[in-house]
Amino acid sequence: MQPPAREALAKARRSAIHLETRDSYMLDDPAFIAWQNGRRLDITDRSSWWNGWHDHVAAAVSRGVTVRRARVVSEPLHPYALYEYDLTPGNLAAGEAVRWLGRRHAVDLLLPATDFWVFDDETVLFHHFTGEGQLAAEGREYRTDPDLAKALTAAFEAVWDRAIPHTEYTPAI
């Protein structure tokens, strides 16, 4: 399997964009199960939620890399998307910008069929998931293709322009 996004993020020089299009991922994740059982992020207790991903984002941002994530979601939100919503203050604290777009507001956008990252407008990382939201056996696929990166960046920007910043987004439940 190809290396995770954090390795490409560590090499990024200018930008990293991530489009998420699924309503749920890895429903057997112990952290998600704990959230379903009432465990919530205490943003004031950084040691309880800060992890390696946050370190990678913070390091990239400190190098001048702009890190943005857009989520296209069904509304009302699936419980997993609500879980992601509750965790997003950690992403923001690390330096990511995160926006949300209800799927009904994206019906006229041409979007890829899978989640992706684009690093520095040249390296693309696709994430391939099973129907159950698990990372598939061939889960990560890297491509270095400027034309593909340009098309995916255009799709991301179309979502970003319509999406609502996390701090202004009220999830439909």
Side-chain angles (χ1 to χ4, degrees):
M1 184 176 297
Q2 295 288 325
R6 66 187 63 165
E7 293 186 24
L9 183 59
K11 297 174 186 174
R13 299 173 315 279
R14 297 178 310 280
S15 64
I17 58 174
H18 183 38
L19 182 65
E20 295 178 356
T21 60
R22 293 184 57 93
D23 287 321
S24 65
Y25 303 84
M26 300 170 284
L27 299 177
D28 61 350
D29 177 354
F32 173 59
I33 293 168
W35 178 88
Q36 287 179 301
N37 291 322
R39 182 170 182 255
R40 295 296 185 263
L41 177 75
D42 178 358
I43 196 69
T44 65
D45 181 13
R46 179 177 158 151
S47 66
S48 71
W49 55 266
W50 190 271
N51 61 42
W53 175 249
H54 299 106
D55 288 331
H56 280 85
V57 170
V61 170
S62 73
R63 291 192 318 273
V65 176
T66 301
V67 181
R68 296 183 295 155
R69 177 186 308 254
R71 292 181 172 130
V72 179
V73 292
S74 297
E75 295 175 310
L77 295 184
H78 182 279
Y80 195 91
L82 282 170
Y83 165 67
E84 287 184 316
Y85 179 84
D86 282 353
L87 295 180
T88 299
N91 298 74
L92 301 177
E96 270 190 67
V98 179
R99 292 187 181 183
W100 299 79
L101 182 64
R103 197 169 307 283
R104 63 189 164 87
H105 299 293
V107 296
D108 60 336
L109 300 179
L110 299 179
L111 301 177
T114 192
D115 293 10
F116 66 85
W117 283 89
V118 177
F119 301 95
D120 294 331
D121 303 315
E122 58 194 32
T123 301
V124 175
L125 168 58
F126 290 108
H127 284 135
H128 300 291
F129 295 94
T130 67
E132 297 297 318
Q134 301 296 328
L135 198 58
E138 70 283 356
R140 297 182 195 101
E141 177 187 358
Y142 279 91
R143 292 193 191 175
T144 302
D145 179 338
D147 292 333
L148 177 61
K150 183 178 180 179
L152 293 172
T153 298
F156 175 88
E157 294 298 345
V159 170
W160 189 260
D161 288 346
R162 290 185 188 180
I164 301 169
H166 176 77
T167 56
E168 299 171 23
Y169 180 72
T170 303
I173 301 173

